[in-house]
Amino acid sequence: MPVPVLRRYAALVREGAGNEEERLALMREHEARVADRIGRLTESLDLIRFKAAVYEDLVDHGSAAAHHCHGPSTGAEEARSSVPRREVLAE
């Protein structure tokens, strides 16, 4: 949760009863941000698993397979993903 939102949430808790709707709204916004991040991380994990499988095939079949094994291009990866490549790599 971003610090300003966390501060607001803490202030609401200290105020006590009567502001539960605003607290709920803050929690729902945070939930959406976390769900979005999980989705982006899942996309990153899928790509990592794909690339690991490519290398497993290369290792299992020797270096001759390296000339015949091509993963998706960077452009194809980015076209399939709504997350910019640099953002995926930064996580």
Side-chain angles (χ1 to χ4, degrees):
M1 182 177 285
V3 174
V5 178
L6 185 57
R7 285 184 181 139
R8 177 65 185 145
Y9 179 79
L12 291 169
V13 170
R14 282 191 300 273
E15 288 175 14
N19 57 26
E20 290 82 5
E21 286 186 30
E22 188 174 352
R23 287 191 232 174
L24 175 59
L26 292 174
M27 281 295 120
R28 291 293 184 200
E29 290 168 8
H30 182 54
E31 176 184 33
R33 281 190 300 273
V34 170
D36 179 62
R37 182 165 172 86
I38 288 170
R40 289 183 284 127
L41 289 170
T42 299
E43 289 177 2
S44 295
L45 182 58
D46 289 345
L47 180 58
I48 292 166
R49 287 178 173 156
F50 170 80
K51 288 182 177 184
V54 168
Y55 286 111
E56 286 173 354
D57 286 346
L58 290 174
V59 169
D60 290 346
H61 296 97
S63 62
H67 299 291
H68 304 296
C69 185
H70 302 286
S73 68
T74 303
E77 292 167 11
E78 206 164 317
R80 285 195 320 264
S81 173
S82 61
V83 180
R85 186 166 194 266
R86 69 179 177 281
E87 187 174 335
V88 171
L89 295 175
E91 294 177 1

